[in-house]
Amino acid sequence: MATTPALALPSGAAGSRIIGLGHHQPPRTLTNEDIADLVETNDEWIRSRTGIVTRHVAADDVTVADMATAAAQHALADARVTEDAVDLVIVATATNDDRSPNTAGRVAYALRTGVQPGASTPEGEEAPDLRDVVGPAAMDLNVACSGFAHAVGLADQAIRTGSARTALVIGAEKLTAYTDWTDRSTCILTADGAGAAVLQAADAPAVGPVVWGTEPELTPAVRIEVPEVKFQQDGRAVFKWAITRAAERARDVVARAGLSVDDIEVLVAHQANLRIIEPLAKALGLEGKVVVTDITESGNTSAASIPMGLSKWWHAGKIPAGVPALLFGFGGGFAWAGQVVITPER
């Protein structure tokens, strides 16, 4: 009987670390007063129930890939890494219209050419010759609001197993394109934008193990489904889970990183609602630490909310360097995921 040949398993780095952060938001803003022109509501009602003051809305001709590319460029510049050094691109999104090329492939192409696939090279510029270029692995990931934490986990694992050395991880959403602007319970929440992180191989782990799972009984609680193809949610069910169960899941994330909650200096939770973020921070005993509350000026951007909030606060100097930060996402599916990361050095 023939002996089955042994397969070689490559070994990668001891761990990965975040070396750059970036974000992008469309220039158009929508205030609570603007929302009040569309549905019966007012600024006080929206603030008291969500904490949101304003949000950003992409133009009709702006795609998820456009916003993802802009955030990626910002992150690469922050990391001082060129696009040809990236060997893995993961985009977390639930709102991309295109089936193929996927968003990650479009971002990888645009970073090298300056245009999206199929678009003409700007006049006066010569199109690059890509015939002998081996581009990065490129994949989209749809886990809705927890997608970025899932994507960071996959990128970290790819680096530790030797499948990648430098990864670009992006969360990007055009949630307003799937918003029912006559539904007061959801249209006050949604917004657009993108956030990105560059992960690179490191001699010591600076990205903790991802901890992830689902809540089967809540699977239909947050959805974008045919035939309506509009963002819908059971807000009460989501709120109840977030208040009663989220802290338990988040503690598990910290424990798997070999830390205690007292070690955490920054909390970056999914920016779903200020009435969820603040009680979560209190339940974890982190209300005296840095708690990202970008929800107030950015609204709910699903998979983009964690990286965008992290990047905005990092570049604004609100987040210290080299400290443990808890990333924790939850939402559509009903899926959740998180990990502890060490914030980049300045």
Side-chain angles (χ1 to χ4, degrees):
M1 185 174 180
T3 302
T4 302
L7 299 179
L9 292 178
S11 58
S16 70
R17 62 190 178 110
I18 296 176
I19 62 169
L21 294 166
H23 61 272
H24 171 79
Q25 290 182 285
R28 180 192 171 197
T29 59
L30 203 64
T31 66
N32 290 342
E33 288 80 5
D34 294 327
I35 298 288
D37 291 335
L38 303 174
V39 293
E40 185 180 349
T41 189
N42 57 64
D43 177 63
E44 189 280 329
W45 192 89
I46 296 173
R47 289 193 192 213
S48 65
R49 286 160 177 78
T50 70
I52 299 172
V53 178
T54 188
R55 71 283 290 153
H56 291 250
V57 178
D60 290 344
D61 61 349
V62 172
T63 68
V64 171
D66 292 330
M67 293 185 287
T69 300
Q73 290 169 329
H74 187 194
L76 289 172
D78 185 48
R80 296 179 176 85
V81 169
T82 58
E83 65 276 0
D84 57 355
V86 175
D87 43 24
L88 174 62
V89 179
I90 306 177
V91 176
T93 184
T95 55
N96 183 31
D97 287 334
D98 300 312
R99 297 294 181 266
S100 183
N102 63 11
T103 310
R106 291 176 179 275
V107 170
Y109 182 89
L111 289 174
R112 284 186 176 271
T113 66
V115 296
Q116 292 292 337
S120 301
T121 302
E123 187 175 350
E125 295 184 18
E126 185 175 344
D129 185 353
L130 302 178
R131 287 175 295 182
D132 294 325
V133 173
V134 177
M139 64 189 77
D140 286 3
L141 178 69
N142 180 1
V143 203
C145 310
S146 60
F148 181 77
H150 279 83
V152 168
L154 293 177
D156 172 63
Q157 291 170 5
I159 290 171
R160 288 190 287 110
T161 58
S163 295
R165 185 165 182 83
T166 301
L168 183 57
V169 183
I170 308 164
E173 302 281 17
K174 191 176 181 179
L175 200 53
T176 62
Y178 297 88
T179 296
D180 180 356
W181 293 102
T182 67
D183 179 7
R184 183 177 71 165
S185 66
T186 57
C187 75
I188 62 175
L189 300 170
T190 56
D192 306 326
V198 178
L199 273 66
Q200 195 169 74
D203 293 334
V207 174
V210 63
V211 182
W212 47 27
T214 57
E215 307 292 337
E217 74 278 13
L218 291 179
T219 300
V222 184
R223 60 199 185 277
I224 300 175
E225 295 178 325
V226 295
E228 295 87 0
V229 197
K230 296 297 182 183
F231 168 64
Q232 301 175 59
Q233 71 169 357
D234 181 344
R236 290 185 178 181
V238 173
F239 184 78
K240 181 180 179 181
W241 179 88
I243 296 301
T244 61
R245 303 297 296 276
E248 176 186 351
R249 303 288 187 251
R251 289 191 192 95
D252 288 343
V253 174
V254 176
R256 285 286 296 277
L259 303 177
S260 72
V261 175
D262 291 340
D263 296 317
I264 302 299
E265 295 296 332
V266 182
L267 171 63
V268 194
H270 167 47
Q271 304 291 291
N273 190 315
L274 193 62
R275 291 174 63 201
I276 289 175
I277 298 168
E278 291 181 338
L280 175 60
K282 185 175 182 179
L284 292 171
L286 296 176
E287 65 268 39
K289 303 294 182 70
V290 178
V291 179
V292 173
T293 54
D294 186 50
I295 179 76
T296 59
E297 61 182 51
S298 297
N300 183 338
T301 57
S302 189
S305 77
I306 289 177
M308 192 161 65
L310 177 63
S311 176
K312 287 177 66 178
W313 280 44
W314 167 256
H315 286 287
K318 297 179 181 180
I319 293 176
V323 300
L326 170 60
L327 312 184
F328 186 69
F330 53 88
F334 188 93
W336 51 269
Q339 61 268 111
V340 176
V341 304
I342 305 300
T343 58
E345 297 297 333
R346 294 193 184 279

